[in-house]
Amino acid sequence: KDNVEEGSINSGLMDAEEGGHAVGSGGRATKRSMSNSSVNFFDYDQEQQTKKSVYTNLAICVVMLNLTFVSWGLLQERMLTRRYPRLTGEYFTYSYALVFTNRFWTLIMSGILLLYFKPRGSRSTVIYQYAFPSISNMLSSWCQYEALRYVSFPAVTLFKALKLAPVMLMGKLLGNQSYPQYDYIIAIFIGVGIGMFMTSTDNLTFDIDVYGEHSSAKWTGVMLLGFFLFFDSFTSQWQSRMFKRHRDLSMIELMFATSAFSTVLSLITLVHDGMLWPAFEFIRRHSEIQLHFFIFSICSTVGQLFIFYTIKNFGAVVFAIIMTTRVLISIAISVYLYGHEVTSTGFFGLMLVVAAVCYRIKRKAEGRQLIKWKGMGAKSEKEIELVQEWHEHIDT
């Protein structure tokens, strides 16, 4: 099986991988005492719940995923492309500080979850294996943030749909995976739609960034997005391979280990490049960005938890539908707030990408009962689908 990509429209483009792991591998938490109820949060069983309970939980997931990731995206654009104070102030140019902040908050959150849920630790993993997805994830996040200097947020968001192509390539290289023929056709349509949107809407000047500074190389924004796709697809496929090879590995343990590596490495990068103190001074001088940083990190961490929860309990297809609507909402609000112009050709390109994504979701939903509740029939033997990457969405 393929893997699910979360956090952006590409969430609707990735396959789900079987072999999800409970946070603790010791059975149903609903049948245990409160002292052993640590796995219950991730162990919600649709088919043992009433219809009302299932739809209530689904509604909470829909609201929280959209709220966290729409807010996260808009704050990302605000912090990296607008002045502090507004109109007359200075730009925040320390994008790696965002990487460090997100990883630090994720480390704290996952550490608390690790202490509270107490999942059984993996005995088969080797510590250096966590370094590879940590480094690639940091690089993908940095490339995404830096691309906003040259490409608009709606274009960056839509461009992530093209992740399907490098993910399939990485899947073959790292896991020898096979993909249905329609995936390749969909990837072509997505590429065409993104090209139409970016060339007609963004009015790209590839050698000048949003701050009005000249870059040493043309097409810098597109090149950064290309690197983002490469590193992000490597991250998801490497994590998927870890889950396949280490059946005792839990989601929280993976989250904690990779965020620990990322926090240390991103801090070292900030210190080495001399960006830590200037970034701190910028944040100290501008109270508005302090609030933005806090909300940005909270949305990232909480959104990540709801990615795991939604896919584990409702499946990859339902999650893909939710995240596809999230992308449309994000683009619409960004266009309204920041005045991005969308031409008729760009709108057609956007609809082409959305149509391709929806078609792929439809193909994956064939023969499935997406929403189940008590009394609908026996539980499927198929293991619950599980997301295997951070996102980009977080910043993935």
Side-chain angles (χ1 to χ4, degrees), residues 14 37 75 113 127 161 186 209 228-229 232 273 303 326 357 385:
M14 304 304 137
S37 63
L75 283 172
L113 293 176
I127 191 169
I186 288 172
D209 63 19
F228 158 74
L229 294 181
D232 199 62
D273 291 345
R326 166 254 165 178
V357 171
E385 297 164 322

Coordinates of all heavy atoms in Angstrom, one line a residue, residues 14 37 75 113 127 161 186 209 228-229 232 273 303 326 357 385:
M14 N -2.1 11.2 -1.8 CA -1.3 10.1 -1.4 C -2.1 8.9 -1.0 O -3.2 9.0 -0.5 CB -0.4 10.5 -0.2 CG 0.4 11.7 -0.5 SD 1.4 11.4 -1.9 CE 1.2 13.0 -2.7
S37 N -5.5 3.5 30.6 CA -6.3 4.1 29.5 C -5.5 5.0 28.6 O -6.1 5.8 27.9 CB -7.5 4.9 30.2 OG -6.9 6.0 30.9
L75 N -1.0 32.5 9.0 CA 0.1 33.1 9.8 C 1.4 33.0 9.2 O 2.3 33.9 9.3 CB 0.0 32.5 11.2 CG -1.1 32.9 12.1 CD1 -1.1 32.0 13.4 CD2 -0.9 34.4 12.5
L113 N 3.0 13.7 25.9 CA 2.2 12.6 25.5 C 2.9 11.3 25.8 O 2.3 10.3 26.1 CB 1.8 12.7 24.0 CG 0.9 13.8 23.5 CD1 0.8 13.8 22.0 CD2 -0.4 13.7 24.2
I127 N 18.9 4.4 17.0 CA 18.6 5.9 17.1 C 19.0 6.7 15.9 O 18.3 7.7 15.6 CB 19.4 6.4 18.4 CG1 18.9 7.8 18.7 CG2 20.9 6.3 18.2 CD1 19.3 8.3 20.1
A161 N 0.4 19.8 -4.3 CA -0.4 18.7 -4.9 C 0.5 17.9 -5.8 O 0.3 16.7 -6.0 CB -1.6 19.3 -5.6
I186 N -3.2 11.2 -13.2 CA -3.6 12.3 -12.3 C -2.4 13.2 -12.1 O -2.6 14.5 -12.1 CB -4.1 11.7 -11.0 CG1 -5.5 11.1 -11.3 CG2 -4.3 12.8 -10.0 CD1 -6.0 10.3 -10.1
D209 N 12.8 38.8 -5.0 CA 11.9 38.2 -4.0 C 10.9 39.2 -3.5 O 10.8 40.4 -4.0 CB 12.8 37.7 -2.8 CG 13.6 38.8 -2.1 OD1 13.2 40.0 -2.3 OD2 14.6 38.5 -1.4
F228 N 11.6 21.2 -2.0 CA 10.6 20.9 -0.9 C 10.0 19.6 -1.2 O 9.8 18.8 -0.3 CB 9.6 22.1 -0.8 CG 8.3 21.6 -0.2 CD1 8.2 21.4 1.1 CD2 7.2 21.4 -1.0 CE1 7.0 21.0 1.7 CE2 6.0 21.0 -0.4 CZ 5.9 20.8 0.9
L229 N 9.5 19.4 -2.5 CA 8.8 18.2 -2.8 C 9.8 17.0 -2.6 O 9.4 15.9 -2.1 CB 8.4 18.2 -4.3 CG 7.2 19.2 -4.6 CD1 6.9 19.1 -6.1 CD2 6.0 19.0 -3.7
D232 N 10.4 16.4 1.2 CA 9.2 16.0 1.9 C 8.8 14.6 1.6 O 8.3 13.8 2.4 CB 8.1 17.0 1.6 CG 6.9 16.9 2.6 OD1 7.2 17.2 3.8 OD2 5.8 16.5 2.2
D273 N 24.8 29.9 11.8 CA 24.6 31.0 10.8 C 24.4 32.4 11.4 O 24.2 33.3 10.7 CB 23.4 30.6 10.0 CG 23.6 29.4 9.1 OD1 24.8 29.0 8.9 OD2 22.6 28.9 8.6
G303 N -2.7 20.5 15.2 CA -3.1 20.0 13.9 C -2.5 18.6 13.6 O -3.1 17.7 13.1
R326 N -9.9 22.1 3.1 CA -9.0 23.0 3.8 C -8.2 23.9 2.9 O -8.0 25.1 3.1 CB -8.1 22.3 4.8 CG -7.0 23.1 5.4 CD -5.7 22.7 4.8 NE -4.6 23.7 5.0 CZ -3.4 23.5 4.6 NH1 -3.0 22.5 3.9 NH2 -2.5 24.5 4.9
V357 N -7.7 15.7 -7.9 CA -7.6 15.2 -6.6 C -8.9 14.5 -6.2 O -8.9 13.4 -5.6 CB -7.4 16.4 -5.6 CG1 -7.5 15.9 -4.1 CG2 -6.0 16.9 -5.8
E385 N -5.7 2.5 8.7 CA -4.7 3.3 8.0 C -4.1 4.4 8.8 O -4.8 4.9 9.7 CB -5.4 3.9 6.8 CG -5.9 2.8 5.8 CD -6.9 3.3 4.8 OE1 -7.7 4.2 5.2 OE2 -6.9 2.9 3.7

